[in-house]
């Protein structure tokens, strides 16, 4: 097993990108293995690590199909619907509360 090249923060050569950077370019890793590693030192803890992929081997992002768009909309609606009052809260319900903020306030006051 070959070891990955490790670069310091902001010193990676051109041609490498993180997943987020690839996505901003309209690309995805496309099944390729991690090509390098980026490390950002921190005090009193281990370094932050980011994996880098080769831009020339990246593939374009798959287009959004109508079925995927409908499934995503349905999932987001479920995340916004309060299980207590069954209303769309207009925001994603916090997992820590498990219900919308008004319902949580009523339950904590009682």
């Amino acid at each position: 097993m070959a070891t990955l090249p490790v670069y310091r923060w902001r010193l990676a050569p051109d041609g490498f990108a993180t997943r987020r950077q690839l996505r901003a370019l309209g690309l995805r890793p496309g099944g390729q293995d991690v090509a390098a590693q980026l490390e950002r030192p921190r005090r009193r803890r281990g370094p932050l690590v980011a994996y880098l992929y080769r831009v020339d081997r990246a593939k374009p992002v798959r287009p959004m199909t109508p079925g995927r768009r409908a499934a995503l909309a349905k999932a987001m609606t479920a995340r916004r619907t309060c299980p207590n009052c069954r209303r769309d809260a207009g925001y994603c319900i916090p997992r820590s509360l498990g219900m919308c903020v008004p319902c949580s306030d009523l339950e904590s006051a009682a």
Side-chain angles (χ1 to χ4, degrees):
M1 181 175 149
T3 59
L4 293 175
V6 178
Y7 300 104
R8 297 272 308 198
W9 191 251
R10 296 182 190 261
L11 296 178
D14 291 336
F16 290 104
T18 62
R19 281 182 178 268
R20 209 173 262 196
Q21 290 168 335
L22 286 175
R23 188 64 181 207
L25 296 171
L27 301 171
R28 61 184 168 96
Q32 65 173 301
D33 291 332
V34 174
Q37 187 172 316
L38 192 66
E39 288 188 353
R40 179 178 175 210
R42 297 190 295 179
R43 295 182 190 184
R44 298 186 186 100
R45 287 191 272 175
L48 286 174
V49 176
Y51 297 114
L52 300 173
Y53 300 90
R54 294 193 37 181
V55 176
D56 58 344
R57 291 188 186 167
K59 296 180 180 176
V61 175
R62 293 184 187 117
M64 184 68 77
T65 63
R68 291 172 97 190
R69 190 177 311 277
L72 184 59
K74 187 176 178 180
M76 291 306 293
T77 301
R79 288 184 66 189
R80 290 191 314 262
T81 304
C82 177
N84 285 1
C85 62
R86 294 302 212 197
R87 287 186 290 185
D88 186 345
Y91 55 86
C92 289
I93 305 293
R95 291 178 63 188
S96 58
L97 298 177
M99 60 188 84
C100 65
V101 175
C103 289
S104 174
D105 290 344
L106 287 176
E107 200 165 282
S108 64

